Amino acid sequence: MSKPEFAKLSKASQALVDACMALKQSGCIIEDRHWENLIDQKVVDIFNSNKKNQIDRALDFLSSTDNETHDILLEHAETMSESCTLEKNGVIFDCLFVVIPVVAWTRFQIPSPALNLKTQAALVNLLKKHISATSVEIAIHPQLCSVDQMPKSFDQTHMWCNALARQALNLPVTPLSSAKPPVEDLSMLADTRYIMAAFCVAQNQPVFKWQEASEHFAEQRQRCLKPWQDEALPLFRELLPACGLELPLPDAFYICNREADKRIRYAALTASVQWLQNTLNIPAESFRATIAGTGEEQVKEYRIGFTFLDSHQVIYGCMWPLFSEEQEETAQESITESASVLNIIEQLQANGIKHIVCINEMLKPGMHEETDEPLFPSPDGELTYISAPDDFDDADFSSEQFH
């Protein structure tokens, strides 16, 4: 560890890093719990102070000096920002910041509407029926938010959690300001919308319905998904007309965001194929898709280039970014055998693409020299710029985007 760099951290950040390092060195669960409780208290103290960026500075320091301690601190920062404890009438409540995600794709613009009182009540009833444990109190933020309207930092997440939890328990609270208007981007054919909520329950009681099962515990979360999707989908169709929709399972803030980010990749492929068909008025089997992994030392993302069957000219492109654990898995496999490529192929085939080429070597990522648009693979294994067909100059053939 770099002592000069460590010395630049505030005393609170140094104490936090020190406790995380002590947890890393711990050899038993009893000692683990001691350090975990100390770390959690220090994190909350920072949230309640006027120097909320101390956690980020500690993480920045650890990212270049100690990856294991970095991951310990990150886990505790996320856990303590997406949860809190509150007291009401002598009862201590566990409160969790929950996200209700919906993955959407469309030929048009994806809206971020407000929720009227009737819709809010219907949503709460559905959450209590399919997602939350029996005795949970729920409050929701009355807007379907885009990613740029979500909390961006640990302290913002903690503030939202606390405010919504107090609302759920009918405790005094400073109302959250309305989410800022979303950044409009008409080229985003696939994106995720979120409703933020707080689930509050008496301490040490179940928060989610799947915790109340008497057996087959590992299966229960998935068993809650299908009935949630069946009954909640009509509500979201009213909120997001003219959109294809997928409803992942509502869950705690950070894990739910990560899972939604993974699912949006499937929606982006579906949106790309549907857009090509609708814009060019020809069926999906008229296109060829070429898949190539791009990166410097290991594959960071896959790029999919679309061409006509009788041409190598790329007319459209879509990206499939990899998460860190997927990058590690891909490094152990050949590109054509990687789980990510198999998922891409399956999704393309499900949308009617029958002709698929996979480039079995990593390509260096490239950008268009004049526009900085990403380059996409052609069937001959080269990254090239998108060139729209001559007859469709009015259509936007830039690469598929999503957050």
Side-chain angles (χ1 to χ4, degrees):
M1 178 177 291
S2 171
K3 291 184 177 180
E5 292 299 320
F6 182 73
K8 293 180 182 179
L9 297 175
S10 68
K11 289 184 178 179
S13 294
Q14 290 180 13
L16 185 57
V17 169
D18 186 44
C20 291
M21 293 178 65
L23 175 57
K24 181 182 70 171
Q25 296 168 355
S26 170
C28 67
I29 192 169
I30 295 176
E31 185 184 355
D32 286 353
R33 289 169 180 164
H34 170 82
W35 298 123
E36 287 169 351
N37 290 335
L38 181 62
I39 293 166
D40 290 345
Q41 185 56 58
K42 290 183 179 298
V43 168
V44 172
D45 288 344
I46 289 175
F47 288 152
N48 293 332
S49 73
N50 294 322
K51 298 181 179 179
K52 300 177 177 61
N53 61 353
Q54 292 176 105
I55 293 175
D56 293 308
R57 290 182 177 177
L59 286 168
D60 288 342
F61 166 73
L62 290 170
S63 66
S64 59
T65 59
D66 189 335
N67 288 334
E68 187 176 351
T69 305
H70 172 276
D71 291 345
I72 290 172
L73 177 54
L74 178 62
E75 179 181 355
H76 283 265
E78 290 185 349
T79 297
M80 299 312 294
S81 64
E82 71 181 6
S83 63
C84 65
T85 56
L86 294 173
E87 182 178 351
K88 181 181 178 182
N89 298 331
V91 178
I92 303 297
F93 286 85
D94 288 328
C95 306
L96 181 66
F97 194 24
V98 172
V99 171
I100 301 105
V102 53
V103 178
W105 59 95
T106 184
R107 290 181 294 149
F108 310 102
Q109 187 175 3
I110 302 172
S112 297
L115 312 181
N116 60 36
L117 292 177
K118 180 180 177 182
T119 300
Q120 293 177 49
L123 179 60
V124 169
N125 288 336
L126 287 173
L127 289 169
K128 289 186 175 182
K129 183 176 181 181
H130 299 296
I131 304 299
S132 73
T134 304
S135 56
V136 167
E137 299 294 335
I138 299 175
I140 63 172
H141 182 64
Q143 184 169 352
L144 202 59
C145 294
S146 63
V147 67
D148 56 285
Q149 297 172 297
M150 301 277 282
K152 294 294 190 296
S153 62
F154 296 123
D155 60 288
Q156 288 178 354
T157 303
H158 180 72
M159 179 187 70
W160 277 74
C161 174
N162 189 274
L164 284 171
R166 297 182 73 86
Q167 180 181 326
L169 296 174
N170 292 313
L171 294 172
V173 59
T174 301
L176 291 166
S177 58
S178 299
K180 64 180 181 180
V183 177
E184 294 188 5
D185 189 342
L186 298 178
S187 67
M188 295 185 72
L189 303 182
D191 203 3
T192 309
R193 294 292 182 265
Y194 307 86
I195 296 174
M196 291 170 280
F199 284 15
C200 302
V201 67
Q203 197 164 45
N204 298 322
Q205 296 301 306
V207 176
F208 295 108
K209 189 164 294 296
W210 48 83
Q211 293 175 266
E212 297 180 314
S214 58
E215 59 181 356
H216 302 301
F217 306 121
E219 301 174 10
Q220 296 304 319
R221 188 184 299 260
Q222 194 63 27
R223 289 183 180 180
C224 291
L225 177 59
K226 183 63 164 57
W228 161 254
Q229 291 174 329
D230 289 344
E231 291 204 39
L233 195 55
L235 183 151
F236 284 99
R237 281 180 176 149
E238 291 184 10
L239 293 170
L240 297 169
C243 292
L245 302 177
E246 178 188 347
L247 300 184
L249 195 69
D251 210 333
F253 182 82
Y254 289 102
I255 187 64
C256 200
N257 273 282
R258 292 190 183 104
E259 291 304 310
D261 282 345
K262 292 178 181 179
R263 292 306 307 172
I264 194 65
R265 301 176 299 184
Y266 295 83
L269 277 180
T270 295
S272 295
V273 177
Q274 291 182 355
W275 187 87
L276 282 169
Q277 292 180 90
N278 292 326
T279 302
L280 300 171
N281 197 28
I282 54 178
E285 55 263 30
S286 301
F287 303 102
R288 179 198 297 115
T290 301
I291 306 167
T294 65
E296 296 293 341
E297 297 181 357
Q298 64 180 26
V299 175
K300 297 291 186 181
E301 66 184 9
Y302 287 99
R303 298 186 185 182
I304 302 97
F306 293 92
T307 63
F308 295 119
L309 296 183
D310 60 354
S311 171
H312 283 199
Q313 173 184 314
V314 177
I315 62 171
Y316 201 69
C318 183
M319 291 188 174
W320 182 285
L322 294 181
F323 291 79
S324 57
E325 68 273 13
E326 295 172 329
Q327 293 175 14
E328 294 173 3
E329 292 171 1
T330 300
Q332 309 300 319
E333 309 167 311
S334 70
I335 289 177
T336 54
E337 296 176 350
S338 74
S340 294
V341 167
L342 296 178
N343 287 333
I344 293 169
I345 291 173
E346 182 179 3
Q347 188 70 6
L348 288 168
Q349 291 174 336
N351 283 279
I353 300 292
K354 297 180 179 180
H355 305 276
I356 301 172
V357 176
C358 186
I359 309 301
N360 196 25
E361 62 176 303
M362 185 178 68
L363 304 179
K364 298 292 184 181
M367 307 293 282
H368 194 289
E369 293 180 358
E370 297 179 359
T371 66
D372 287 334
E373 288 286 334
L375 305 179
F376 290 91
S378 63
D380 55 10
E382 294 184 0
L383 290 177
T384 183
Y385 59 87
I386 291 172
S387 179
D390 294 337
D391 294 339
F392 295 93
D393 291 336
D394 292 335
D396 179 8
F397 277 77
S398 59
S399 62
E400 169 61 21
Q401 298 182 45
F402 56 95
H403 79 260

